[in-house]
């Protein structure tokens, strides 16, 4: 059996908050003792807040390219400037849609920059992804005494399918990707499916206990998932540009 | 708390098997009483087997287009012929990769046609997706007395990310997609994320208890997910061609 335990008792996380301490307090409050095989899933939003990844839109001066893309997409040119500064490549820009490859390689809308639920009613603030989400996950993992793995999740849209799901942008203490290449199936045939996106699966499952928006729960512990194989960061989930079929 | 309960005691499902009866027996064996709010997730493979969606490759005569695509992809031309017969459109064909829009609208490798773990060591058999996976889910839902929702899952690759995850190709008794358009966040701003792919999230979460290949578990019950909104089939998850940014 697998259990997904939401951590509801987490107050507002602020720049400079000791996120590991906040999470340990919430685990204690929920009477959950993390152990080997558990995964603590934390939303990008509270990691970014603790790391003070806020950007003040009123201080951003959009360049020429940002102004052009803002016209194309109908987005705030200052936000587009931030998106460009966080991205290595623009994949699509059409009305209401700006999809880029974020610095860490993740392909996502607006380079993951958020303007919802960041504690700013004026809309003059934006929240960027952590500087390096794998490193943030690693630091949390170490701060938690490596008692359980850590996944940092964010919600992604997908091509060809409606709706968002949570995926992993930071992973520590577990394999983000399970490699089954060479394994045989029950009939002795080579497996057609050879790599399993375990980090993304865990982020998505935790999303079921988190919700979106007003009732949002920023962390959950998943217990009972079994895996084998060496640890790998979320960057292992990123398909390199040269393998990319859908640029 | 959310629980994912694997149903391990399911024997080999054969063409003509009464899948609802098989699942009810497995639920009884596991001492699980499905109730409102539970979701029974079933892999495509056992649904297809029960519906006898086997195709004999040795009886397939590949046409001209299949032969050309087989050369391009390095795949068996008879398999490619089956893929074309199950698809409305070919999206990508490069060595080892054939991505199409399957008849029901899902974009996936080989139109979801399987040659692993289908009980055929010779490789002369292939297993197609159910004729209509939403209708199959609906029939199972009715046969289970509508006591719990039903999701039929299959593993999909994704653009830009390594590894597969399970998503929903059939849904009954619950919303596959939750529409949050118009909702406000805690700061009173309109939510940026407006649709949540609940059916896919549940399929992915169940995948954590199912595994791939030799140790595969073909069904799991998820308990404790809360949702609101009208029921919708998995077809609601398919982004229509005219909205598709990545053809």
């Amino acid at each position: 059996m697998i259990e997904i335990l939401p951590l509801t008792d987490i107050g507002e996380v602020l720049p400079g908050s000791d996120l590991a301490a906040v999470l340990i307090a919430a685990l204690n409050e929920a009477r959950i003792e993390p152990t080997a095989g558990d995964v603590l899933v934390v939303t990008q939003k509270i990691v970014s807040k603790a790391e003070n990844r806020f950007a003040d839109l009123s201080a951003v001066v959009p360049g020429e390219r940002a102004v052009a893309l803002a016209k194309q997409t109908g987005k705030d040119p200052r936000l587009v400037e931030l998106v460009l500064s966080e991205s290595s490549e623009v994949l699509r820009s059409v009305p209401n849609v700006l999809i880029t490859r974020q610095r860490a390689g993740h392909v996502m809308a607006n380079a993951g920059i958020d303007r919802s639920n960041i504690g700013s009613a004026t809309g003059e603030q934006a929240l960027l992804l952590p500087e390096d989400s794998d490193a943030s996950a690693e630091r949390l993992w170490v701060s938690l005494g490596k008692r359980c793995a850590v996944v940092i999740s964010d919600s992604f849209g997908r091509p060809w399918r409606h709706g968002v799901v949570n995926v992993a942008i930071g992973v520590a203490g577990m394999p983000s990707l399970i490699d089954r290449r060479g394994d045989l199936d029950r009939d002795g045939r080579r497996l057609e499916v050879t790599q399993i996106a375990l980090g993304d699966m865990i982020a998505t499952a935790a999303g079921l206990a988190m919700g979106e928006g007003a009732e949002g729960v920023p962390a959950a512990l998943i217990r009972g998932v079994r895996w084998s194989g060496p640890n790998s960061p979320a960057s292992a989930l990123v398909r390199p540009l040269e393998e990319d079929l859908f640029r």
Side-chain angles (χ1 to χ4, degrees), chain A residues 218-232:
Chain A
L221 190 100
I222 300 200
R223 175 161 281 173
V225 178
R226 276 174 295 175
W227 65 74
S228 59
N231 293 351
S232 50

Side-chain angles (χ1 to χ4, degrees), chain A residues 44-242:
Chain A
Q44 162 269 325
K45 208 166 283 193
I46 60 170
V47 178
S48 289
K49 284 179 177 178
E51 295 182 2
N52 195 14
R53 295 285 290 157
F54 287 99
D56 184 352
L57 282 176
S58 63
V60 175
V61 181
E64 206 173 307
R65 190 164 175 226
V67 170
L69 279 170
K71 200 166 281 180
Q72 224 172 77
T73 57
K75 290 178 183 284
D76 185 326
R78 303 167 304 170
L79 177 70
V80 175
E81 179 65 37
L82 285 179
V83 171
L84 290 178
S85 71
E86 284 283 297
S87 303
S88 60
E89 190 183 3
V90 174
L91 274 90
R92 287 292 183 281
S93 56
V94 296
N96 294 313
V97 175
L98 179 57
I99 298 170
T100 71
R101 191 174 279 271
Q102 195 265 352
R103 280 185 295 104
H106 301 289
V107 173
M108 59 196 309
N110 307 322
I113 298 175
D114 237 314
R115 297 178 71 183
S116 300
N117 283 326
I118 61 171
S120 155
T122 68
E124 289 295 289
Q125 283 217 306
L127 188 62
L128 315 187
L129 291 197
E131 188 73 47
D132 176 343
S133 300
D134 275 325
S136 301
E138 182 89 13
R139 279 195 301 273
L140 275 176
W141 181 50
V142 170
S143 299
L144 292 162
K146 301 190 179 179
R147 279 178 293 169
C148 63
V150 173
V151 167
I152 298 173
S153 73
D154 199 5
S155 63
F156 277 37
R158 296 96 38 93
W160 314 315
R161 295 181 82 75
H162 278 139
V164 298
V165 299
N166 286 7
V167 301
I169 62 169
V171 173
M174 59 169 284
S176 65
L177 194 66
I178 303 265
D179 204 326
R180 301 289 303 274
R181 278 176 285 203
D183 286 14
L184 301 181
D185 77 1
R186 285 177 299 191
D187 305 318
R189 290 178 55 83
R190 276 256 307 282
L191 276 182
E192 292 178 11
V193 164
T194 52
Q195 291 190 305
I196 297 164
L198 184 67
D200 285 340
M201 291 173 72
I202 284 178
T204 303
L208 288 172
M210 288 171 162
E212 279 285 339
E215 81 289 11
V217 170
L221 190 100
I222 300 200
R223 175 161 281 173
V225 178
R226 276 174 295 175
W227 65 74
S228 59
N231 293 351
S232 50
S235 60
L237 290 163
V238 172
R239 201 180 280 276
L241 274 177
E242 60 273 19

